[in-house]
Amino acid sequence: MSEPVLIERTGDVVVWTLNNPEARNPISDAATIDALEAAVAAANADPALRVAILTGAGTAFSSGGNVKHMRDRTGMFGGSPAELRQGYRHGIQRIPKALYHCEIPTIAAVNGPAVGAGCDLALMCDMRIASGTATFAESFAKVGIIPGDGGAWLLPRAVGMARASEMAFTGEAIDAATALDWGLVSAVVAPDELLDAARALADRVAANPPQVLRMTKKLLREGQWQSLDSLLELSAALQALAHQTEDHHEAVSAMLDRRTPKFTGR
């Protein structure tokens, strides 16, 4: 059996590729869930890593839940209501939790259809770039279920409540141009330029101090639910740490010397 997620690291950027193109890269099977969770854990433990890119092998980004397993009521889709609840909690819901707590910035390079949980998987990333062939569908209603992987939390934060409601209530797909117009993605590029564009964005992010990137991401996450006063307290604490890093002193010196800084993560 092939690896469910391919991992390729170049310098301080890692690419995670969903690797089941024949089935259009579903993410509901245990092996893929385990692999994505492990990839995030490895990134969090590696202080030299600065950015992760998530994409899919073949023509699809991700088909989300495996519809054949839904039909056959196998894997996480089998059992009594109580067993199904646990199947979601200890199965696919581990992915949004892992990616939410991924310490480094993440980029979804959406190479094709992102359907159901596959659409939500793209939303779990901090930034999204789409191929012109990409589509996005919050399509759970089309198969008679609800967003079970956090989509109802993720989608309104990306496109606003009215457009999220339209996508969720109709289950219909939007194309890449609409996704760009709605702010779901930040760029649309030709299919053969997608990974290059994602890497270029990753390089722009990775040019900054790695510890500062992680602290900035933490603040952005906490800012989604904390009060302003609480966030300012956390910001002050993290800023005190940032000011004491070697990278901060290097950044200031390089700016004053008008040269390119060299960051070490210290």
Side-chain angles (χ1 to χ4, degrees), residues 47-136:
L49 202 57
R50 304 191 191 189
V51 187
I53 297 169
L54 175 62
T55 193
T59 59
F61 178 71
S62 174
S63 59
N66 191 314
V67 178
K68 290 182 179 178
H69 291 175
M70 292 182 197
R71 177 197 63 194
D72 300 336
R73 300 187 179 185
T74 58
M76 64 171 286
F77 304 118
S80 67
E83 290 168 331
L84 275 162
R85 174 175 174 265
Q86 296 289 23
Y88 271 84
R89 291 180 66 240
H90 300 292
I92 200 168
Q93 288 184 356
R94 288 159 50 200
I95 299 176
K97 288 181 178 181
L99 285 170
Y100 185 85
H101 293 291
C102 182
E103 295 179 8
I104 62 174
T106 53
I107 301 169
V110 186
N111 53 299
V115 181
C119 178
D120 294 342
L121 180 66
L123 295 170
M124 294 171 204
C125 295
D126 302 308
M127 298 162 279
R128 290 167 290 281
I129 295 178
S131 158
T133 60
T135 57
F136 299 84

Side-chain angles (χ1 to χ4, degrees), residues 176-187:
T178 302
L180 179 63
D181 181 56
W182 287 8
L184 197 154
V185 302
S186 57

Side-chain angles (χ1 to χ4, degrees), residues 1 14 22 30 38 84 89 91 93 114 120 122 130-131 138 145 150 175 181 188 192 200 218 220:
M1 180 178 177
V14 66
E22 295 81 8
L84 275 162
R89 291 180 66 240
Q93 288 184 356
D120 294 342
S131 158
E138 191 76 353
I145 59 175
D175 61 18
D181 181 56
V188 176
D192 60 355
K218 178 69 173 177
L220 289 170

Side-chain angles (χ1 to χ4, degrees), residues 7-32:
I7 299 175
E8 179 186 0
R9 178 171 178 169
T10 304
D12 43 27
V13 176
V14 66
V15 179
W16 301 327
T17 304
L18 301 174
N19 188 38
N20 188 359
E22 295 81 8
R24 299 172 69 79
N25 302 318
I27 58 170
S28 56
D29 59 283
T32 300

Side-chain angles (χ1 to χ4, degrees), residues 122-255:
L123 295 170
M124 294 171 204
C125 295
D126 302 308
M127 298 162 279
R128 290 167 290 281
I129 295 178
S131 158
T133 60
T135 57
F136 299 84
E138 191 76 353
S139 57
F140 298 94
K142 293 292 189 183
V143 289
I145 59 175
I146 62 169
D149 60 339
W153 190 90
L154 294 159
L155 188 57
R157 283 169 165 77
V159 299
M161 185 58 75
R163 284 168 170 164
S165 297
E166 179 180 336
M167 290 182 69
F169 294 153
T170 67
E172 295 170 357
I174 61 172
D175 61 18
T178 302
L180 179 63
D181 181 56
W182 287 8
L184 197 154
V185 302
S186 57
V188 176
V189 299
D192 60 355
E193 298 174 0
L194 178 63
L195 276 181
D196 286 342
R199 289 180 187 276
L201 176 57
D203 288 341
R204 288 164 52 204
V205 173
N208 294 303
Q211 295 305 320
V212 166
L213 289 174
R214 292 180 186 227
M215 287 189 279
T216 300
K217 178 166 178 175
K218 178 69 173 177
L219 288 175
L220 289 170
R221 285 281 191 254
E222 295 298 317
Q224 291 182 301
W225 63 274
Q226 281 196 12
S227 68
L228 176 59
D229 286 346
S230 295
L231 190 72
L232 288 172
E233 285 292 338
L234 179 59
S235 301
L238 293 180
Q239 192 73 297
L241 297 176
H243 272 287
Q244 295 301 313
T245 62
E246 293 180 14
D247 281 345
H248 165 62
H249 298 297
E250 167 64 9
V252 172
S253 295
M255 183 174 294

